Amino acid sequence: MSQDLITQIKIALVKKGKNQKWLAQQLKISTAYMSDIMNGKRSPQDKIKEIKAALDLE
């Protein structure tokens, strides 16, 4: 996942008053996996659409 998208996700979480744990719950993934995504350790191509939908990103 690109650093730009990670930054967009972080900004969207702040705007919504949500955190990574909330997003992990929405995606039905572990918080550890979500943390790896946010730290650029994993690139879950199959979850990008779900992440964008949960955060109302285009």
Side-chain angles (χ1 to χ4, degrees):
M1 186 178 314
S2 75
Q3 192 63 38
D4 287 342
L5 182 54
I6 292 170
T7 301
Q8 288 177 4
I9 292 167
K10 289 179 181 180
I11 291 169
L13 285 170
V14 170
K15 284 182 179 179
K16 288 185 165 288
K18 304 293 183 184
N19 58 28
Q20 288 183 25
K21 182 179 178 181
W22 173 85
L23 185 54
Q25 291 171 341
Q26 300 304 303
L27 301 175
K28 297 178 177 64
I29 61 174
S30 71
T31 53
Y33 186 48
M34 188 71 237
S35 179
D36 284 351
I37 292 169
M38 297 303 288
N39 289 318
K41 295 179 182 177
R42 296 188 188 219
S43 183
Q45 296 302 319
D46 58 324
K47 293 288 184 189
I48 291 175
K49 284 185 179 180
E50 290 178 57
I51 292 169
K52 287 181 175 184
L55 296 172
D56 300 320
L57 298 173
E58 292 188 10

